[in-house]
């Protein structure tokens, strides 16, 4: 007997990727339902070599659904994720709404899979922010080996992190540049073509943005509440793939050779680190890949027990859809 799975937000970037990954990984589903808003009802949604039609989320009865993979936006999730859980489904939610709820586990399977057991409180498991996911996957083996005291991270986040509208804006502004036209920004606060923008999400009282705040509080919840994190999150003119320059201060010594060894042995990580032209990974190369890629591992001599590294991952896959499906896989292994 397989499971009945519903994908909420099935017409968005992440929802489409969730459907693709369920099929790619042969998730044992007897039935997969695609759900979205009323304006998308009847549109085709691909699931492997099958095509289903999108149904209306607002009218859908979740009774009999086992697992919901949800990525519709925070406000929609606030309304419909509890409704699905009340009907008996376990919701794996990719929005920001539930992440810091103390009764909702925040899970990256390679890092804290055992936290999944906490789903019984609300029937909901939260997927972390895309930039947090790839960072904590890379931090986990280092933390286990030498205990991380402090993280300083600068991100280089692709336009797909802002959805299809963000990708479309980059494309249209790039095209207009070559015909000597200018387009006013709509999705982003400034032009994204041939530019970088140190501003993702809203500003907070302390001067950080909410994206930066997410990286701080989510890392503490997932990995260790004692870790100090300082983030600067930047939108860059790429379509898919987030990159991060990470600087660590450790409690114990860990040389770069041992750091590479523990990283290479950890689940979900591929180390590509040759000190030559092209001996590192860039966002363009990770599109469609499942792993978190680590390059440029090196000692930081300016602090005691300092280490730096470059971390890249496909934000639509490991940063969102794949992580959610991996949580579902863990659920059916030992929890339902």
């Amino acid at each position: 007997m397989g499971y009945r799975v519903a994908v909420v937000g099935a017409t968005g970037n992440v929802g489409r990727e969730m459907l693709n990954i369920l099929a790619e990984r042969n998730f044992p589903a007897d039935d997969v339902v695609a759900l979205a808003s009323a304006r998308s009802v009847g549109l085709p949604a691909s699931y492997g070599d099958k095509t289903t039609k999108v149904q209306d989320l607002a009218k859908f009865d979740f009774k009999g659904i086992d697992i919901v993979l949800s990525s519709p936006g925070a406000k929609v999730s606030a309304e419909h994720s509890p409704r699905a859980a009340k009907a008996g489904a376990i919701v794996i939610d990719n929005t920001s709404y539930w992440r810091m709820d103390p009764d909702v586990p925040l899970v990256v399977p390679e890092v804290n899979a055992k936290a999944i057991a906490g789903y019984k409180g609300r029937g909901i498991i939260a997927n972390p922010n895309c930039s947090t996911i790839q960072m904590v996957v890379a931090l986990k083996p280092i933390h286990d080996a030498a205990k991380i005291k402090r993280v300083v991270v600068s991100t280089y986040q692709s336009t797909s992190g802002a959805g299809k509208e963000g990708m479309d804006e980059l494309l249209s502004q790039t095209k207009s540049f070559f015909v000597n036209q200018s387009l006013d920004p709509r999705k982003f606060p400034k032009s994204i073509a041939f530019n970088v923008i140190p501003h993702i999400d809203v500003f907070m009282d302390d001067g950080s943005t909410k994206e930066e705040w997410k990286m701080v509080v989510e890392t503490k919840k997932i990995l260790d509440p004692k870790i100090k994190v300082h983030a600067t999150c930047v939108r860059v003119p790429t379509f898919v793939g987030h990159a991060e320059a990470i600087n660590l201060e450790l409690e114990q010594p860990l040389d770069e050779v041992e750091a590479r060894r523990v990283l290479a042995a950890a689940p979900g990580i591929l180390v590509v680190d040759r000190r030559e032209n092209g001996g590192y990974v860039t966002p363009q190369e990770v599109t469609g890949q499942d792993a978190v890629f680590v390059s440029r591992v090196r000692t930081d001599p300016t602090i005691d027990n300092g280490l730096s590294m470059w971390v890249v991952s496909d934000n639509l896959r490991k940063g969102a859809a794949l992580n959610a499906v991996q949580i579902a896989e863990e659920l059916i292994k030992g929890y339902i």
Side-chain angles (χ1 to χ4, degrees):
M1 290 287 291
Y3 297 89
R4 292 194 70 209
V5 178
V7 175
V8 176
T11 57
N13 283 343
V14 174
R16 290 195 300 270
E17 201 72 8
M18 285 173 169
L19 288 166
N20 289 336
I21 292 170
L22 284 169
E24 284 176 14
R25 294 172 73 91
N26 295 314
F27 189 84
D30 281 346
D31 187 24
V32 176
V33 181
L35 303 173
S37 64
R39 67 177 180 271
S40 297
V41 169
L43 291 176
S46 297
Y47 167 62
D49 56 2
K50 301 175 184 176
T51 301
T52 185
K53 288 189 176 181
V54 174
Q55 299 182 44
D56 190 345
L57 169 63
K59 296 178 181 178
F60 186 76
D61 183 355
F62 285 96
K63 188 175 181 181
I65 294 292
D66 299 300
I67 297 171
V68 175
L69 303 179
S70 178
S71 190
K75 289 182 180 179
V76 177
S77 176
E79 177 182 355
H80 293 285
S81 287
R83 187 168 71 84
K86 188 176 181 180
I90 300 171
V91 181
I92 301 168
D93 192 276
N94 189 57
T95 73
S96 62
Y97 190 83
W98 301 100
R99 290 173 187 159
M100 298 314 297
D101 187 313
D103 295 323
V104 174
L106 185 66
V107 176
V108 179
E110 296 92 338
V111 180
N112 65 334
K114 291 182 179 178
I116 288 172
Y119 80 87
K120 293 180 181 178
R122 287 189 181 272
I124 300 170
I125 301 167
N127 226 25
N129 188 39
C130 50
S131 51
T132 304
I133 289 174
Q134 69 184 66
M135 184 170 78
V136 296
V137 169
L139 295 187
K140 169 67 172 170
I142 301 294
H143 190 56
D144 288 347
K147 204 85 184 257
I148 298 169
K149 291 171 60 177
R150 181 171 182 253
V151 180
V152 179
V153 55
S154 296
T155 71
Y156 306 78
Q157 295 179 227
S158 65
T159 55
S160 59
K164 183 178 182 296
E165 292 172 336
M167 298 172 76
D168 288 346
E169 185 154 308
L170 172 58
L171 182 61
S172 61
Q173 287 180 356
T174 302
K175 287 179 177 178
S176 69
F177 176 86
F178 287 108
V179 293
N180 203 28
Q181 294 177 349
S182 62
L183 292 177
D184 292 334
R186 301 178 68 179
K187 183 65 178 178
F188 300 115
K190 295 194 177 189
S191 177
I192 187 61
F194 307 99
N195 198 15
V196 296
I197 304 172
H199 173 196
I200 300 176
D201 213 323
V202 297
F203 277 98
M204 306 184 74
D205 291 341
D206 66 353
S208 62
T209 64
K210 196 168 184 182
E211 185 81 359
E212 293 156 356
W213 173 83
K214 290 174 189 174
M215 293 193 76
V216 174
V217 296
E218 291 176 15
T219 299
K220 289 176 176 288
K221 183 172 180 177
I222 296 164
L223 194 58
D224 187 336
K226 294 180 181 178
I227 290 178
K228 296 178 180 179
V229 181
H230 182 74
T232 301
C233 293
V234 182
R235 188 74 70 191
V236 299
T238 56
F239 288 111
V240 177
H242 289 354
E244 298 171 349
I246 301 174
N247 180 265
L248 304 174
E249 182 182 358
L250 311 176
E251 285 193 8
Q252 291 117 35
L254 185 72
D255 67 39
E256 58 196 39
V257 174
E258 182 64 9
R260 285 191 203 93
R261 188 193 68 77
V262 299
L263 285 162
I269 295 175
L270 283 177
V271 176
V272 179
D273 191 8
R274 301 183 305 277
R275 292 177 176 178
E276 60 188 48
N277 289 344
Y280 43 80
V281 174
T282 61
Q284 191 178 71
E285 297 158 89
V286 306
T287 302
Q289 302 294 314
D290 290 347
V292 171
F293 292 82
V294 180
S295 306
R296 307 271 343 263
V297 180
R298 62 202 189 279
T299 299
D300 176 0
T302 66
I303 53 171
D304 291 338
N305 305 327
L307 196 71
S308 292
M309 56 186 174
W310 172 255
V311 177
V312 185
S313 189
D314 183 330
N315 56 295
L316 298 180
R317 289 184 72 88
K318 184 54 188 169
L322 173 63
N323 198 75
V325 173
Q326 287 176 307
I327 293 171
E329 290 171 344
E330 291 292 327
L331 263 178
I332 65 174
K333 280 180 190 175
Y335 297 94
I336 60 172

